[in-house]
């Protein structure tokens, strides 16, 4: 297996060209909401395809685009007509981190597998298949003006870089009443290597009271301690405990990366968020794209952050 830390491998990926996978790769995992098995295949795609989800059971394609997001309550869900695919955010985060631009994601169900509730399995699959450049320059979405959205005291904001900095900076803080979570903050500069070591393994989490409410509503039927951290005030219900002592804010940051990659290009700018979630992340992208003075699509705002390692 090639490694994200293998320098000769990384050297092939420095030129800022569009990327796809070297070969298809499949996996089966449980869907969080249905509790049923989902088969997912990541397939190399032609340059300029973008990331496209393909419901092979329906024969319908759903492009990974912010303006096709139709539900954000428990995950980020995109749809075309009645065809939907949910829980796209963890795969999208891994694709953003590695800088994959073109890919067909086949699924035979209305959601992606949840795996362990983090992006680790997706990153492992991408890494195992291998990433190649296949022509055309990857664009960046350069933020030119600050855009901010708010909701009930929470906010999400994208700001332009200062001093000619490049790449995607994310500063996030969260605050929960549950004492096991409390207040946490994390600052991250997106790169494939740092994503792999600091963010990819952070799992989604939920409060014990919410689990019971969801079950009663027939949702999260596939949810278990194997794919989420469950918190009961000061207690972590998972016998293995946490993977990082601030795993919660790291996972929320993972969600930001995935949700914002629905912009359709790597972001060059700074994200600042407080208690943000899928709904607010999507609202932010819609606000950015509402006014063309807020951004430009460019091929010169990409730094090397999207290379996989410092070669
Ligand atoms: Zn998540």
């Amino acid at each position: 297996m090639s490694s994200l830390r293998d320098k000769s491998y990384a050297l092939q990926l420095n030129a800022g060209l569009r990327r796809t996978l070297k070969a298809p790769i499949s996996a089966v995992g449980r869907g969080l909401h249905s509790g049923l098995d989902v088969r997912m295949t990541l397939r190399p795609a032609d340059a300029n395809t973008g990331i496209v989800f393909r419901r092979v059971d329906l024969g319908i394609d759903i492009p990974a685009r912010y303006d096709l997001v139709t539900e954000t309550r428990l995950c980020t869900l995109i749809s075309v007509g009645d065809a939907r695919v949910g829980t796209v955010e963890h795969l999208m985060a891994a694709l953003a981190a590695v800088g994959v631009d073109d890919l067909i994601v086949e699924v035979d169900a209305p959601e992606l597998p949840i795996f362990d509730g983090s992006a680790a399995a997706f990153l492992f699959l991408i890494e195992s298949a291998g990433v190649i450049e296949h022509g055309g320059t990857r664009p960046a979405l350069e933020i030119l003006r600050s855009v901010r959205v708010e909701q009930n005291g929470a906010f999400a904001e994208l700001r332009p870089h200062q001093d000619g900095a490049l790449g995607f900076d994310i500063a996030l803080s969260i605050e929960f009443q549950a004492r096991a979570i409390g207040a946490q903050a994390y600052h991250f500069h997106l790169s494939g290597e740092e994503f792999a070591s600091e963010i990819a393994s952070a799992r989604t989490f939920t409060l014990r009271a919410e689990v019971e409410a969801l079950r009663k509503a027939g949702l999260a039927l596939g949810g278990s301690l194997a794919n989420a951290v469950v918190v009961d005030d000061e207690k972590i219900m998972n016998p293995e405990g946490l993977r990082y002592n601030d795993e919660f804010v790291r996972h929320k940051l993972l969600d930001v990366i995935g949700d914002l990659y629905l912009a359709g290009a790597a972001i060059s700018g700074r994200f600042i968020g407080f208690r943000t979630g899928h709904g607010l992340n999507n609202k932010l992208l819609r606000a950015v794209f509402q006014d063309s003075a807020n951004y430009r699509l460019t091929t010169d705002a990409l730094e090397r952050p999207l290379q996989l390692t410092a070669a």
Side-chain angles (χ1 to χ4, degrees), residues 89-90 204 251 255 278:
E89 60 272 17
H90 303 160
T204 192
H251 184 81
D255 284 340
H278 301 307

Side-chain angles (χ1 to χ4, degrees), residues 131-310:
V131 177
I132 52 160
E133 291 173 333
H134 66 155
T137 314
R138 24 188 354 239
L141 181 77
E142 186 183 3
I143 303 300
L144 302 178
R145 288 201 312 204
S146 292
V147 178
R148 178 182 173 109
V149 293
E150 303 180 13
Q151 204 163 33
N152 306 326
F155 70 85
E157 185 172 339
L158 274 168
R159 295 183 189 168
H161 275 305
Q162 293 168 316
D163 312 325
L166 294 170
F168 190 22
D169 268 308
I170 305 140
L172 183 64
S173 46
I174 61 172
E175 221 174 72
F176 279 78
Q177 267 182 356
R179 279 175 289 175
I181 308 175
Q184 302 186 350
Y186 202 85
H187 179 258
F188 185 69
H189 183 79
L190 183 60
S191 78
E193 193 175 40
E194 296 274 305
F195 180 84
S197 64
E198 307 302 325
I199 303 295
S201 300
R203 293 162 295 172
T204 192
F205 58 94
T206 183
L207 305 177
R208 191 178 182 176
E210 272 173 16
V211 176
E212 280 146 27
L214 288 172
R215 283 281 167 85
K216 275 192 192 139
L219 296 165
L221 298 175
S224 76
L225 293 174
N227 52 40
V229 178
V230 180
V231 177
D232 188 3
D233 194 19
E234 86 283 13
K235 252 199 353 251
I236 306 291
M237 305 301 293
N238 307 56
E240 75 281 11
L242 295 176
R243 293 177 176 177
Y244 307 95
N245 58 13
D246 55 357
E247 185 167 359
F248 306 104
V249 70
R250 290 180 196 234
H251 184 81
K252 287 290 187 188
L253 200 144
L254 189 164
D255 284 340
V256 168
I257 295 169
D259 286 341
L260 266 55
Y261 201 42
L262 291 170
I267 290 173
S268 179
R270 295 180 294 149
F271 175 96
I272 294 109
F274 174 62
R275 285 177 40 210
T276 184
H278 301 307
L280 216 46
N281 295 341
N282 187 246
K283 213 168 142 187
L284 178 61
L285 281 188
R286 288 176 190 264
V288 167
F289 284 107
Q290 211 157 54
D291 187 339
S292 59
N294 291 335
Y295 64 94
R296 69 178 179 131
L297 276 169
T298 171
T299 51
D300 22 85
L302 274 186
E303 57 155 2
R304 302 189 149 214
L306 293 163
Q307 78 187 40
L308 299 179
T309 184

Side-chain angles (χ1 to χ4, degrees), residues 7-35:
K7 287 192 178 182
S8 60
Y9 172 70
L11 273 172
Q12 301 163 13
L13 296 168
N14 287 346
L17 298 178
R18 293 184 72 94
R19 297 173 194 166
T20 190
L21 294 192
K22 213 178 270 181
I25 192 160
S26 298
V28 175
R30 181 171 291 183
L32 176 61
H33 298 299
S34 66

